[in-house]
Amino acid sequence: MDKFAQRSRVLIIYTGGTIGMMKDAETGSLRPFDFDNLMSYVPEIRLLDHEVDTIGMSRILDSSDMTPSSYVELACIIEANYEDYDGFVVLHGSDTMSFTASALSFMFENLQKPVIFTGSQLPIGDLRTDAKENLITSIQFAGLKAKGKPVIREVGLYFEYKLYRANRTTKVNADHFEAFESANYPALAESGVDLIIDHSALYRAPAKKKFTVHKELEENIMILKVFPGITEQVMKNMLLVPDLQGVILETFGSGNTKTDRWFIDLLRSMIDKGVAVVNVTQCLGGSVVMGKYETSEQLRQMGMISGKDITTESALAKLMFLLTKNLTPDVMKTLFETSLRGEISH
Ligand code: ASP
């Protein structure tokens, strides 16, 4: 078979972020560059065995400005091009990349193609940039096929030589090229002299089921990080949001909180009102185990949802997704505590 019979078609979707910026030679300031001319900035792409097209979002954003409606726009671009391409690369600012990529992992049901998020710490035009390697290797993962089928069939995040399951990642460093970590799940692949795939780590959705894109996301939710000394007044006021649908409670260690009566009563009243409250650890790695200590036993008894070893980014995305499905509290708890896209371990 000649090598072009194997050629994959990859669509690069540019959303914004540092990767797509160039230093203006005169002023030294960063500005987005014209992505239609991607090939002239990264001529190396021509050397790849893949056909590459590019498209931009309607508004190019710093990722701090991304919203659930940007997630929907991005999901729609992929849906509209799903049949025409073998894989997708999403160029995104690194700051909220784990949030967007986690959201897309839930919005895409039965995804059978790679959607690889990447970005960079330095602009593509910078002499010491990490952008070129991140971009080129992401295109390779997006185009990688075995026996005519994509090898990666999930939403991934590629940064600094590692491909991760996106909904397991967190941005952990604002300066280092190694900006992301997946503390509770191994890397799906590593790029060295060769691309080494850990096949046992890859996610597989049921192959026969139709690819479906869920476009509704609940926005009336919050992340509440507990801290030693949090007062009743502060906590009550935070939870006063009208029509609040869900809370991600970031707790200590394996899911522990203070045991003061007012604190427990406040959370119980939220759950009794039908608000979905999820217990997620503030730690980077490890899992919530409610009931392990006395300081989490009451949370377990009141029916709080366990986030187990999910990341906060992924918990937020999963709650946005599940809260639009009109679930009873019991079904919501069961589904949240079950892995839907490989986002929790057990
Ligand atoms: N502020 C930028 C963003 O997230 C940083 C980056 O691209 O890495 O859009």
Side-chain angles (χ1 to χ4, degrees), residues 7-36:
R7 252 174 108 91
S8 294
R9 296 194 72 204
V10 175
L11 181 64
I12 301 179
I13 306 159
Y14 177 47
T15 70
T18 304
I19 190 165
M21 307 217 170
M22 296 281 290
K23 226 179 215 158
D24 187 299
E26 275 169 25
T27 64
S29 60
L30 292 175
R31 59 172 168 76
F33 75 87
D34 175 9
F35 241 77
D36 293 340

Side-chain angles (χ1 to χ4, degrees), residues 15-21 61-66 92-97 119-122 159 171 174 179-180:
T15 70
T18 304
I19 190 165
M21 307 217 170
L61 297 171
D62 184 292
S63 75
S64 305
D65 279 324
M66 280 276 173
H92 194 287
S94 63
D95 289 347
T96 70
M97 191 186 292
S120 65
Q121 294 283 57
L122 286 175
F159 226 86
K171 183 171 180 184
F180 288 87

Side-chain angles (χ1 to χ4, degrees), residues 251 254-256 277-280 287-293 295-308 333 337:
T251 58
S254 55
N256 308 309
V277 184
V278 183
N279 187 345
V280 169
S287 185
V288 162
V289 185
M290 284 191 286
K292 181 171 176 185
Y293 292 89
T295 42
S296 64
E297 175 56 17
Q298 283 168 290
L299 307 181
R300 190 185 67 77
Q301 282 176 13
M302 71 177 76
M304 192 174 287
I305 299 167
S306 174
K308 301 185 178 178
K333 181 166 161 52
E337 294 177 355

Side-chain angles (χ1 to χ4, degrees), residues 97-99 101-106 154-157 164-170 181-182 185 203 309-315 317 339-344:
M97 191 186 292
S98 294
F99 288 91
S102 295
L104 261 72
S105 78
F106 293 106
E154 58 184 290
V155 182
L157 186 154
Y164 302 106
R165 173 166 304 151
N167 61 28
R168 292 293 198 147
T169 60
T170 297
E181 211 171 290
S182 166
Y185 199 75
Y203 182 75
D309 67 347
I310 200 168
T311 60
T312 297
E313 293 86 335
S314 200
S339 166
L340 300 181
R341 310 280 190 266
E343 72 284 2
I344 51 176

Side-chain angles (χ1 to χ4, degrees), residues 46-146:
R46 267 188 251 279
L47 302 174
L48 294 171
D49 276 345
H50 306 313
E51 234 176 88
V52 176
D53 292 325
T54 59
I55 188 172
M57 292 254 290
S58 58
R59 272 182 68 217
I60 298 308
L61 297 171
D62 184 292
S63 75
S64 305
D65 279 324
M66 280 276 173
T67 60
S69 43
S70 332
Y71 306 164
V72 174
E73 183 185 342
L74 186 51
C76 289
I77 293 176
I78 293 173
E79 183 184 36
N81 290 282
Y82 190 74
E83 295 306 331
D84 296 336
Y85 290 89
D86 299 291
F88 301 85
V89 172
V90 179
L91 300 183
H92 194 287
S94 63
D95 289 347
T96 70
M97 191 186 292
S98 294
F99 288 91
T100 306
S102 295
L104 261 72
S105 78
F106 293 106
M107 294 165 80
F108 291 157
E109 192 175 344
N110 301 319
L111 179 67
Q112 301 296 342
K113 298 189 178 185
V115 175
I116 312 292
F117 277 71
T118 196
S120 65
Q121 294 283 57
L122 286 175
I124 207 155
D126 195 287
L127 277 182
R128 292 177 50 252
T129 191
D130 51 331
K132 285 193 181 182
E133 199 284 324
N134 285 348
L135 172 61
I136 287 168
T137 308
S138 295
I139 296 172
Q140 284 188 306
F141 279 123
L144 198 63
K145 286 199 253 177

